[in-house]
Amino acid sequence: MRLTRRLAAALIAAPLLVPVSAWAADDPAVQTVRDLYAAFSAALKDGPSPLPARVEVVGPAMDKAFDFPAMTRIAVGSKWSSFTPEQQAAVTDAFKRSLTVTYANRLARAAGGKFDVTSKVEERGAQRVVPTRVTAADGDDSEVDFVVNADNRIQDVLLNGDVSELAAQRTALSAPLKSGGADGAVKFLRQRADGMLAAKPTP
């Protein structure tokens, strides 16, 4: 079924609500996704809390589950090698905070859906793809797949098999990097996170 734009934006970070028997329990890649979803579920346990509170809940789990240094390096692209170690660290920290706030923000729109994970994990070289399916309250559904690297950390999230979170981040960073280099990227990422945190909740 065709996923609406609003739901698609929310589901990349949607919580998983499935019985333990649905997991390929012996696969550490699946365990990574399972632990992440447990934190997402905790953030929505009593309904959507204020965004800063959701960030507080999901932040440690995302830091553990996502390979933020690798994701930042890929999102920056060829300019990465020209950055000093201090600049690389600053961009990575800003990227991690921005993506964490983004996912916590999406969680507010993800409540009320049905979430399932398949037991089959797809091998893609050194990476594995942990597939999930998300069905909205109105029956609309979509595939949300987590790309997990050899270190069992998430390196990308795919919506409907081909909409890459990492590619979207790389596109968003293109202009700030071109105009301001590392400092431009840090400024953009910080402003994006601060803007979400400062926004008034939708009634």
Side-chain angles (χ1 to χ4, degrees):
M1 300 177 65
R2 186 175 182 271
L3 192 65
T4 64
R5 180 177 299 178
R6 178 185 62 81
L7 184 60
L11 293 184
I12 287 180
L16 183 65
L17 305 172
V18 297
V20 174
S21 60
W23 297 99
D26 58 343
D27 193 314
V30 173
Q31 188 63 45
T32 294
V33 177
R34 182 182 186 185
D35 291 345
L36 178 66
Y37 276 143
F40 287 170
S41 295
L44 291 177
K45 181 176 62 175
D46 299 318
S49 57
L51 179 55
R54 296 197 301 274
V55 172
E56 194 74 21
V57 173
V58 305
M62 288 190 65
D63 195 22
K64 180 180 179 181
F66 282 80
D67 190 341
F68 285 115
M71 293 179 73
T72 308
R73 185 175 65 250
I74 295 169
V76 169
S78 60
K79 290 184 179 293
W80 182 259
S81 60
S82 68
F83 294 171
T84 66
E86 292 77 16
Q87 287 175 323
Q88 291 176 349
V91 176
T92 300
D93 286 346
F95 183 91
K96 177 173 70 174
R97 177 173 178 264
S98 177
L99 199 63
T100 299
V101 174
T102 297
Y103 273 47
N105 191 45
R106 289 171 180 165
L107 279 176
R109 306 191 301 272
K114 178 182 178 183
F115 309 95
D116 301 289
V117 66
T118 69
S119 59
K120 184 177 180 180
V121 177
E122 179 185 345
E123 301 284 343
R124 293 186 184 177
Q127 296 180 329
R128 280 158 293 164
V129 178
V130 180
T132 74
R133 178 168 294 278
V134 184
T135 305
D138 63 1
D140 206 358
D141 65 2
S142 180
E143 296 176 1
V144 181
D145 300 339
F146 289 85
V147 181
V148 181
N149 63 21
D151 295 324
N152 296 310
R153 301 185 75 185
I154 297 166
Q155 195 164 308
D156 199 2
V157 184
L158 305 176
L159 198 62
N160 289 328
D162 60 0
V163 180
S164 164
E165 177 75 82
L166 194 52
Q169 296 299 322
R170 183 164 187 166
T171 298
L173 281 171
S174 178
L177 284 167
K178 185 176 181 179
S179 62
D183 291 343
V186 169
K187 180 180 180 180
F188 167 78
L189 291 165
R190 287 176 177 172
Q191 288 180 339
R192 184 167 67 175
D194 291 343
M196 285 183 283
L197 288 167
K200 293 182 178 180
T202 303

